[in-house]
Amino acid sequence: MDSRNSRIRRTSLSTESGPSSSQAASSPKTVSIVEAPVVVASAAAAFPTGDWEEDVDLTTEISDARPATIPGTAEIGRLAGLGSDYYVGVSGYGVYKIAFNDITGVKWTKLHGTLADVYNVYPFTVDGKNRLAVALDEEIAILDLDASPVVPSQSNITSPDNDPFKVGHNSSDCNDYYGAEENPFKPTDITSIDDFLYVSNGRGVGGDFVMRLKYDSASDEFSWDNVAFGGTGSGTKYFKDPTGLFSKGAKLYVADTSNERVQVYTQDPTTHAVTGPTTISIPSGHQIADAAEIDSDTLLLPTYSDFAINPTDGADILYHKISTNTTTTGEVTGVASKSNLWPLTYNGNSYILRVGAEASQILGLAPSL
């Protein structure tokens, strides 16, 4: 999820030096606990290089690469990277940073332990400050990654009210939705373009919109902007369970999960107006969970489990070529759900990093495609 822009930016995941249910209160006590490093491998030869177009076997996953304080039954959320560090939320246990040491060890650092209902995380940089946006059950927390210990940089962002949205497809419907007290705010993902954060809402409860937050440099805070678009439906410009967001330059990719497609929008660099979408068609039966950049022309599109369709051979992983607007399929075996796959580059070699949400799916590095 890479944004190349003026003040907010998502740092590339590639690095030559290598990867090194209560709501939060406005001023919670925080903890900074460094978990003991977990040795996950000893030989770089265990991770051969290859082509991204080939299939990948995740049966060589590394076992027990998580802190003993996190039980196997804990639900681990999606992984997100900023530079050489990766961040993940663990429901009921807080927010963690994951760092690698020469592909031979993994160190988990607990950044914030009071954010219980963590659904997703998004690290980014604004005005030279490192931040982590955290999608909670019905709020968004913005954490200051430069602080020690890590603390919120502002009060949690709650459901939009007072009809803030004036621009965008169905923006008035978005105001109506959140104007009804019984309709919940359920953020699913967050990404950034320029001085804005985009937030998707869904989780099967309706209100399938993408909304925008604006940054104020004077207060160093985000608040709701006037842009929202979407609405529940299957037609163009509508969403059904938009669970993932990804930004690349001025492009905003929305994983329109239950509609089995990705819709792509463009933010004007001068006016900040949002236009589109164009659509990335997905092979039937694949529900896209998110997107990530493999290289400048290739996107990794992790899917939710396809086991109902292909119960014995595992599910597929999709690759999208931007220049040709084509999507190809690779087979993934040895894992039930691909929603937490992430590409990384270490010493010029490509790998896939995975954090699973189930007891049998534990942090692992797989051979590159």
Side-chain angles (χ1 to χ4, degrees), residues 121-200:
V121 297
Y122 175 71
F124 63 97
T125 301
V126 56
D127 272 350
K129 305 164 187 174
N130 295 313
R131 297 285 188 261
L132 184 71
V134 184
L136 302 172
D137 186 40
E138 294 186 352
E139 295 179 316
I140 296 172
I142 307 292
L143 302 183
D144 183 354
L145 293 177
D146 296 327
S148 181
V150 171
V151 294
S153 63
Q154 65 176 86
S155 298
N156 286 359
I157 300 167
T158 57
S159 176
D161 55 16
N162 299 323
D163 298 338
F165 305 118
K166 309 298 181 186
V167 181
H169 178 256
N170 274 346
S171 59
S172 61
D173 288 354
C174 189
N175 288 328
D176 292 343
Y177 176 83
Y178 288 109
E181 186 175 346
E182 67 273 14
N183 289 334
F185 174 46
K186 297 289 185 180
T188 58
D189 203 2
I190 304 164
T191 194
S192 62
I193 299 178
D194 294 331
D195 293 350
F196 303 96
L197 291 177
Y198 286 86
V199 180
S200 55

Side-chain angles (χ1 to χ4, degrees), residues 346-369:
Y346 182 80
N347 285 344
N349 297 328
S350 297
Y351 302 96
I352 285 185
L353 177 66
R354 180 176 64 85
V355 171
E358 301 165 8
S360 61
Q361 298 176 322
I362 302 173
L363 176 70
L365 288 166
S368 62
L369 297 178

Side-chain angles (χ1 to χ4, degrees), residues 297-322:
D297 192 41
T298 311
L299 300 181
L300 171 72
L301 302 178
T303 68
Y304 286 109
S305 177
D306 289 335
F307 267 34
I309 301 171
N310 195 352
T312 58
D313 295 332
D316 295 332
I317 187 169
L318 306 180
Y319 312 95
H320 180 73
K321 286 292 184 182
I322 298 173

